[in-house]
Amino acid sequence: MFHTKMFPSQHMAKLSYFLFFLLFVTTTVNAQQIFSTNSYPLTDFRPPLDIVPPALAGSFGELRSNHFHSGIDFRTNQATGYPVYATADGYVARLRVQNSGFGLALYINHPNGYTSVYGHLSRFNPKIAQQVKNIQYKNKSYEIDEFPSADLIPVRKGDIIAYSGNTGSSGGPHLHFELRDTKTEATINPQLLGIQIPDNIPPVIYSMYVYRLNGKPFNEFTPKQYFQVVGGNGKYNLNKVTTINLSGEVGFGIITTDKHNGNSGLNGVYSIELEMDGKKIFTSALERFSFENSKAINSHIDYPAFLNLKRSIQKSFVDPGNPLQSTAVWSIMVELPLMITTYMS
């Protein structure tokens, strides 16, 4: 049973495998289940912008070239200059000005143990701008990366701290926003901490792949079989396929995206879940990750397919040495030849 999930919508698209002597494949739309073993505050943080409804140009953890996206990108109506608000009480713990990267950015430490990050800003509020100017003159450098003392720039929830922009390595006006664990600097899905993004649009499944593992670690020579998925609105089936013969050790992968309400682009799904006979054997949920593990994306996906075909196939099995905390059984063990019958639910 494959689940691809939106977040935090109340719907999801589900591609289901029931292994008996026949393996049935169906898709439906069900209420979501949030995968998290951690407890997060849900009312401490407010949105960093007042643009309603919010729309995303990039979701947390979505697949990027060589890394997972570390935050969420808020669209700003293709314009700059929207007020950016402190999402909670705290103090400015870091000021950064770069020609690339986040461009103009600031970091706020909060007493609840989290840090909020705001990137690609056009300008800071006057008080912060003066502090930045002082540091630049002192260092004789436009680019700075400074860590002010806790009592220098205190902020309150709802204070205007800056204005949205398009600075640094930005492909267009937007606000890059993150919430991090202050101690570990692990970045966390902001939607788990109460930042709400309206979403009742089911994810889209484009294709499924079967990998013939046969007891060997996955590599560029692992045989795989492509199956086109057709349908829409959370209901899919395999195109022109009646049976698939499987034997030995196999794994699965899918290509999938999600779209939030409003003027959002195509984003990543929140989670993928694989079930067999009602038992979860793989779960990948985009809850949090350490920056040192961001490049493990190349183990999470079929990296050879990405290099050669520019296809981001998300595997539902875990390679040896993958540091990501996906919950998984290495593969599906099929002792007897089985058939997959596809139908619309």
Side-chain angles (χ1 to χ4, degrees):
M1 181 180 293
F2 257 131
H3 299 214
T4 63
K5 299 186 180 179
M6 304 173 295
F7 190 102
S9 137
Q10 294 301 309
H11 300 83
M12 69 179 179
K14 181 173 66 175
L15 185 60
S16 305
Y17 300 86
F18 299 93
L19 269 73
F20 307 105
F21 289 100
L22 293 177
L23 203 64
F24 297 99
V25 180
T26 67
T27 62
T28 57
V29 176
N30 283 358
Q32 71 160 356
Q33 299 174 15
I34 300 173
F35 294 98
S36 176
T37 58
N38 298 295
S39 177
Y40 298 102
L42 296 177
T43 59
D44 289 7
F45 298 101
R46 58 148 289 163
L49 296 170
D50 273 345
I51 297 176
V52 179
L56 297 188
S59 60
F60 180 83
E62 90 180 4
L63 308 180
R64 299 290 176 89
S65 178
N66 212 36
H67 69 281
F68 292 104
H69 188 228
S70 60
I72 54 179
D73 288 344
F74 287 95
R75 290 180 180 267
T76 55
N77 298 321
Q78 299 181 338
T80 63
Y82 283 90
V84 176
Y85 300 92
T87 57
D89 293 354
Y91 65 92
V92 175
R94 187 178 184 182
L95 291 167
R96 198 167 190 182
V97 178
Q98 301 171 280
N99 287 312
S100 58
F102 285 165
L104 274 63
L106 61 81
Y107 301 60
I108 298 175
N109 283 1
H110 306 285
N112 59 4
Y114 297 94
T115 297
S116 55
V117 181
Y118 315 77
H120 306 301
L121 306 169
S122 61
R123 57 192 172 95
F124 303 110
N125 75 18
K127 180 179 178 179
I128 297 174
Q130 185 59 55
Q131 293 293 338
V132 169
K133 186 176 181 180
N134 293 341
I135 296 167
Q136 288 173 323
Y137 273 94
K138 178 183 176 182
N139 295 348
K140 298 181 179 179
S141 172
Y142 171 75
E143 292 196 317
I144 63 169
D145 189 6
E146 195 78 8
F147 298 82
S149 62
D151 59 351
L152 185 62
I153 314 175
V155 296
R156 299 299 300 270
K157 184 176 184 177
D159 285 351
I160 296 176
I161 54 174
Y163 296 85
S164 67
N166 188 29
T167 57
S169 302
S170 173
H174 72 282
L175 174 69
H176 177 89
F177 176 74
E178 298 179 18
L179 286 172
R180 300 182 183 181
D181 183 305
T182 301
K183 289 184 178 179
T184 67
E185 291 199 23
T187 185
I188 305 167
N189 193 325
Q191 293 177 263
L192 285 166
L193 290 104
I195 302 298
Q196 298 185 6
I197 309 296
D199 181 3
N200 59 10
I201 303 172
V204 177
I205 302 172
Y206 301 96
S207 55
M208 183 189 80
Y209 293 79
V210 173
Y211 294 86
R212 313 286 175 152
L213 299 167
N214 296 322
K216 299 179 181 179
F218 169 81
N219 60 48
E220 65 268 31
F221 303 112
T222 299
K224 63 174 172 282
Q225 190 173 0
Y226 160 80
F227 296 93
Q228 184 183 28
V229 175
V230 296
N233 296 320
K235 297 182 180 293
Y236 300 89
N237 68 316
L238 302 185
N239 188 30
K240 300 179 181 179
V241 176
T242 56
T243 62
I244 302 173
N245 295 317
L246 299 177
S247 62
E249 188 180 37
V250 300
F252 294 93
I254 58 172
I255 295 179
T256 179
T257 62
D258 188 24
K259 181 178 173 62
H260 298 82
N261 291 6
N263 189 31
S264 290
L266 290 179
N267 305 135
V269 296
Y270 169 64
S271 65
I272 296 173
E273 180 182 278
L274 178 63
E275 293 184 1
M276 183 174 66
D277 295 340
K279 179 182 178 181
K280 295 181 179 66
I281 60 173
F282 175 89
T283 296
S284 171
L286 295 171
E287 177 180 341
R288 60 193 290 157
F289 64 86
S290 300
F291 286 94
E292 63 185 10
N293 293 333
S294 185
K295 290 189 177 181
I297 185 176
N298 298 327
S299 180
H300 175 69
I301 65 172
D302 180 341
Y303 189 58
F306 178 76
L307 283 181
N308 298 323
L309 304 172
K310 301 304 178 186
R311 295 177 184 171
S312 295
I313 306 169
Q314 300 190 60
K315 299 182 306 195
S316 292
F317 53 92
V318 179
D319 296 334
N322 185 341
L324 299 176
Q325 295 180 355
S326 299
T327 302
V329 172
W330 160 244
S331 59
I332 299 174
M333 296 301 298
V334 182
E335 299 297 336
L336 298 173
L338 302 179
M339 294 185 298
I340 297 180
T341 302
T342 66
Y343 66 93
M344 288 293 293
S345 61

